[in-house]
Amino acid sequence: MNTKTAYRTHTCGELRLSDVGKRVVLVGWARRVRTLGGVVFVDLWDRYGITQVIFNQQWDKDLYEQAKKIDREFVIQVEGEVRERENKNPNIPTGEIEIKASKLTILNISKLPPFTLEEHTDGGEELRAKYRYLDLRRPPMQRNLIFRHKLLQFTRNWLSKEGFLELETPFLIKSTPEGARDFVVPSRLYPGHFFALPQSPQLFKQLFMISGYDKYFQIVRCFRDEDLRADRQPEFTQIDCEMSFVDENDVLNTFERFVTDAFKELLNYDLEPFIRMPYEEAMNKYGSDKPDVRFGMLITDITKDVQGHGFKVFDNSEYVGALPVPGGATLSRKKWDQWEEYIKQMADVPGFFYVTWKEELKAKGPIIKILGEETTRELLIKSKAQQGDAIIIMAGPWEKTVSALGTLRMNIAKELNIIPKDTFKALFVVDFPLFSWNEEENRWEPNHHPFTSPKDTDIHLLDTDPGQVKAKAYDLVINGVEVAGGSIRIHDQKIQQKIFDLLGLSREEAQQKFGFFLEALQYGTPPHGGIAFGFDRLTAIMLGEETIRSVIAFPKNKSGRDPMLDAPAPISPEQLKELHLKIVESDRE
Ligand code: ASP
């Protein structure tokens, strides 16, 4: 790597004991400046590291006076000699040397940054977002973005080596069918007409398969105008992939290898083989379709055990489930009340009860009364609780209740510190239902997107029991976070039409929305399937970051705005006119 330029001979991270005696020129930002007993110490920083520079009054009075003018984040150029440091700093690679300065040029001054640019800063998130370019100078952000770069390069190389072609697709398109709202772009040339920004390149990547490219990938920005939800960005990056002549196992095996190799190469971490867990099992045991399998606390179905004893809440519920709470017997009443309150606000399931097991059993709710002490104890054992633990029992409709138990499972495990640190557990969730029922709109909707293939063995159910049809769809989950999702696609037009019919998409509507695609399907479509990774999520997980904002250079904030640009923002009346747009005040929220 050549880092020598007109301004420097070396970077601030380069010099070592073996360079002692060399005359060098360094440039960078004055990260820390201290004056002590006639000596100015400057920690000179650039992307590569930090080097200590010394200006001693006794060596050169003028230079020393000049150096006293340096303030934080000034850009300076220093000429001098490398010498061994007396007080060595073992924490940094350049900690054994320093520069005895003989010349100083202040290349640029700097306003005082509104927060410290250290490992741990005193700046709040909003302030840092406004001055993102300064936040990006901080070591954690530099590490994250450099890691992101490495993961990007790794991905490109790995996929290229496997024969995937990096092919680009347009940003100015018509709607794509991923189920969120589109961002639209008004057309100046065609009044009243709009482009949409892609929610994903879904149809284009399928077209590439029809065009015979066999294996495609793209590291691509996608746009979804969703309501603000935890840790979502309106624009985000996907590793988007598609393959021809594949079944589910081909795709899963390929991308298990990709992820395993990435963890090994970039983190030197050996992932265990990925289990493949059916959706139903994930829901039943973990109460989530993105199960965190780093720890136990599995949910047990106790419907049959507790029904028929005359307690209405149980008898009238579709499902009753139990969640063990390790060490739960010694928790305070206040804690239980908090959890009950928390879950009541999250989900409206009718029953929340618990049993604690010290020496004796104690219960909130009538469980001991209806089952008797002995049977209740058996129930605790069945629910994988031991003496000293507790179980939470919830009753209600199946999906809502297991989901609520799943939410509690995560929440309690975090609070009680049960989740092992520095471990990664990856798995594929498979066999998703093809449709889910939208109660508000009284219709089926695709769980993934309408081009996802049903399982061959379930095709006959399309006519009789669509809710039971399983899809050739899969998600990759790491540490309880959905990192990728994909499916095998429908390549048979008759089945595609059937799916549209089931979704209540009229022929005209389908024609208008995806006519070009339906036509393309008729020209020799190979069996094909693919997957897309949330690249920001994958990066954040690998780095142990809580939010994807920490791995995106210029993200939107929690309110979906860019505080630095102050966007979104109004446009001028001239622009509006040119685009044939009028703002209707009453429509603005
Ligand atoms: N287009 C899908 C998504 O963005 C992924 C896929 O089916 O390959 O979630």
Side-chain angles (χ1 to χ4, degrees), residues 370-391:
I370 65 165
L371 293 185
E373 175 102 16
E374 215 28 59
T375 316
T376 309
R377 205 179 291 270
E378 276 163 23
L379 193 66
L380 279 146
I381 292 166
K382 180 178 178 183
S383 312
K384 305 278 180 311
Q386 303 173 356
Q387 191 166 351
D389 298 344
I391 57 169

Side-chain angles (χ1 to χ4, degrees), residues 117-310:
L117 305 186
E118 304 288 338
E119 184 75 31
H120 301 286
T121 177
D122 55 358
E125 188 162 348
E126 205 51 24
L127 187 66
R128 284 189 284 131
K130 183 157 178 226
Y131 295 92
R132 186 67 168 176
Y133 46 91
L134 292 178
D135 198 28
L136 293 182
R137 267 189 215 163
R138 292 174 51 234
M141 289 310 304
Q142 295 247 326
R143 282 198 301 272
N144 286 0
L145 292 193
I146 291 169
F147 182 89
R148 186 181 171 110
H149 155 80
K150 287 185 182 152
L151 186 55
L152 278 169
Q153 298 313 311
F154 174 85
T155 304
R156 284 213 158 82
N157 290 334
W158 197 95
L159 291 169
S160 303
K161 268 198 214 126
E162 289 279 325
F164 287 82
L165 299 173
E166 182 168 10
L167 303 171
E168 287 159 291
T169 50
F171 276 175
L172 295 179
I173 62 166
K174 235 167 130 176
S175 253
T176 36
E178 298 290 351
R181 272 192 209 96
D182 288 318
F183 279 104
V184 294
V185 181
S187 161
R188 177 178 60 84
L189 296 177
Y190 298 93
H193 286 65
F194 297 81
F195 286 111
L197 299 179
Q199 294 184 34
S200 86
Q202 184 61 35
L203 295 181
F204 291 100
K205 68 174 173 175
Q206 293 192 235
L207 291 176
F208 278 139
M209 297 304 106
I210 298 175
S211 309
Y213 285 86
D214 198 60
K215 284 172 161 183
Y216 141 96
F217 87 97
Q218 187 178 193
I219 300 179
V220 62
R221 200 61 59 80
C222 299
F223 305 87
R224 295 186 189 174
D225 188 7
E226 288 177 303
D227 292 334
L228 300 169
R229 270 199 272 160
D231 215 22
R232 295 259 175 158
Q233 287 282 314
E235 54 175 308
F236 59 97
T237 304
Q238 285 195 336
I239 312 170
D240 193 42
C241 307
E242 197 75 5
M243 307 161 82
S244 286
F245 304 113
V246 288
D247 67 11
E248 288 165 277
N249 275 330
D250 293 314
V251 179
L252 299 190
N253 290 341
T254 303
F255 288 94
E256 175 167 350
R257 274 194 298 118
F258 164 69
V259 174
T260 306
D261 289 354
F263 272 75
K264 184 68 191 167
E265 171 82 15
L266 296 168
L267 299 178
N268 195 23
Y269 190 93
D270 292 302
L271 283 172
E272 286 164 21
F274 302 5
I275 52 168
R276 290 161 195 198
M277 188 185 287
Y279 164 83
E280 241 178 70
E281 183 182 338
M283 291 301 285
N284 277 325
K285 287 191 182 158
Y286 296 89
S288 168
D289 60 0
K290 14 182 192 300
D292 190 335
V293 297
R294 284 175 297 175
F295 64 101
M297 286 181 74
L298 302 188
I299 298 164
T300 304
D301 182 348
I302 57 164
T303 317
K304 293 221 170 71
D305 305 85
V306 297
Q307 278 183 346
H309 294 272

